[in-house]
Amino acid sequence: MDISCIVNAHRERHVVHPTLRSVLRSVALARECGLRVDVHVVLDDSDDETREVVARLIGNDGYVHHVNYGDLSASRNWAVQHCTGEYLAFIDGDDLWCHQWLVDSLMAARRESRRIVFHPEYNVYFGSAAPHVFHHVDMEDADYQPEFLLRMNYWTALSFARRDIYLEFPYRPNRIDDGFGYEDWTWNHETVTAGIIHKTVTGTSHFIRKGKAGTSLLDQTNQMRAIPRVLDLYALPAPCRKAAETRAPAKESTGTSTSLELQAA
């Protein structure tokens, strides 16, 4: 299997419908290009309406799994363990991929021999909150600053990479009640610290729904003023350690949102 697509869903209800349509559209293009792709929808502590919508749309086009972790990190880790694709592509149950995301990401990955996590070039935020476009920073661009990752999350969890990277670096469980969250931010920091490169796929975009019905995990994390676990301060490289100790404001990268709540998705 070339790519396993992982849809992490909870209780999105009818909102999961356009997400699955987006995924299946991208999968269809990948299969037309001769790629072997499967789809796994992981329903964590879901409800009847969400399960019904998923079952109706997926049919025989993928696999539906039911878990009861109540934690997005654990759901992602479960999917990594049970999928067989050489590469994994993540999406949350209320977001959208651009049509060519899978094809372009695999082409970019196969041109590289290095260990790389790929992200879309742009995130387009939409919904009841103020819409805006966020430009993801490529680690090999001049705008990238290592110390900035201590102050703001550079990339969302809707990533594309070899399965062995996700196996080596499982997501840490969220412990929002204890003040720890932002599992994607923590994962990004851990992989960068370990030498994994984060790059963008030119010409691609994800569409991120804001102002979701109910309270999202990000909303809960922000309300509890949780923080990411960015490892031992004194184990960090000197530039990162100095930035954290002085709490000096990092230079804003071109196109990067200055709102923590908007980017720590």
Side-chain angles (χ1 to χ4, degrees), residues 123 125 132-137 143-156 182 184-190 192 198 218 222 226-230 240 243-244 247-265:
N123 275 349
Y125 289 86
H132 68 284
V133 176
F134 182 93
H135 179 249
H136 270 148
V137 173
D143 285 337
Y144 174 71
Q145 300 175 59
E147 68 275 11
F148 200 69
L149 195 54
L150 290 173
R151 303 294 301 275
M152 179 180 288
N153 188 14
Y154 263 132
W155 310 285
T156 67
Y182 302 113
D184 52 349
W185 188 351
T186 300
W187 190 85
N188 289 336
H189 184 272
E190 289 180 341
V192 167
H198 289 248
L218 177 58
N222 286 329
I227 60 173
R229 285 173 283 187
V230 290
C240 297
R247 299 184 63 85
K251 178 183 177 182
E252 182 180 347
S253 299
T254 303
T256 300
S257 168
T258 58
S259 170
L260 178 64
E261 294 187 12
L262 291 177
Q263 178 53 12

Side-chain angles (χ1 to χ4, degrees), residues 57-83:
L57 262 71
I58 289 297
N60 296 321
D61 288 330
Y63 305 91
V64 180
H65 311 280
H66 300 273
V67 298
N68 289 287
Y69 293 112
D71 180 72
L72 188 52
S73 295
S75 296
R76 289 196 182 113
N77 292 338
W78 186 94
V80 171
Q81 292 287 340
H82 290 81
C83 292

Side-chain angles (χ1 to χ4, degrees), residues 18-233:
T19 296
L20 295 179
R21 290 287 300 272
S22 165
V23 169
L24 293 175
R25 184 168 174 256
S26 188
V27 167
L29 177 62
R31 288 172 177 168
E32 289 175 9
C33 294
L35 303 179
R36 296 173 300 155
V37 185
D38 60 6
V39 178
H40 297 262
V41 182
V42 182
L43 294 172
D44 187 5
D45 190 25
S46 191
D47 55 22
D48 290 340
E49 184 176 348
T50 304
R51 287 192 290 268
E52 189 276 329
V53 173
V54 169
R56 175 160 42 86
L57 262 71
I58 289 297
N60 296 321
D61 288 330
Y63 305 91
V64 180
H65 311 280
H66 300 273
V67 298
N68 289 287
Y69 293 112
D71 180 72
L72 188 52
S73 295
S75 296
R76 289 196 182 113
N77 292 338
W78 186 94
V80 171
Q81 292 287 340
H82 290 81
C83 292
T84 60
E86 180 183 4
Y87 292 88
L88 303 183
F90 283 94
I91 186 171
D92 290 342
D94 44 16
D95 299 327
L96 310 170
W97 282 339
C98 67
H99 187 202
Q100 73 275 19
W101 170 241
L102 296 177
V103 173
D104 286 1
S105 295
L106 188 62
M107 289 177 60
R110 285 183 170 172
R111 288 194 294 264
E112 290 281 358
S113 60
R114 301 172 297 173
R115 305 186 76 193
I116 296 178
V117 177
F118 290 94
H119 305 272
E121 186 174 12
Y122 296 99
N123 275 349
V124 180
Y125 289 86
F126 70 99
S128 60
H132 68 284
V133 176
F134 182 93
H135 179 249
H136 270 148
V137 173
D138 189 303
M139 279 184 65
E140 296 183 310
D141 286 348
D143 285 337
Y144 174 71
Q145 300 175 59
E147 68 275 11
F148 200 69
L149 195 54
L150 290 173
R151 303 294 301 275
M152 179 180 288
N153 188 14
Y154 263 132
W155 310 285
T156 67
L158 277 60
S159 57
F160 182 101
R162 295 182 64 93
R163 178 170 175 259
D164 62 83
I165 292 179
Y166 297 106
L167 286 170
E168 183 177 347
F169 300 95
Y171 285 92
R172 293 197 187 194
N174 285 298
R175 291 166 45 200
I176 298 175
D177 291 340
D178 294 330
F180 296 101
Y182 302 113
E183 82 290 339
D184 52 349
W185 188 351
T186 300
W187 190 85
N188 289 336
H189 184 272
E190 289 180 341
T191 51
V192 167
T193 301
I196 304 295
I197 301 169
H198 289 248
K199 292 188 65 63
T200 59
V201 181
T202 303
T204 61
S205 56
H206 289 169
F207 301 84
I208 311 298
R209 190 182 301 274
K210 303 295 293 184
K212 304 162 187 174
T215 303
S216 69
L217 176 61
L218 177 58
D219 291 333
Q220 297 175 31
T221 306
N222 286 329
Q223 290 168 10
M224 292 297 293
R225 296 184 178 275
I227 60 173
R229 285 173 283 187
V230 290
L231 306 183
D232 181 3
L233 173 63

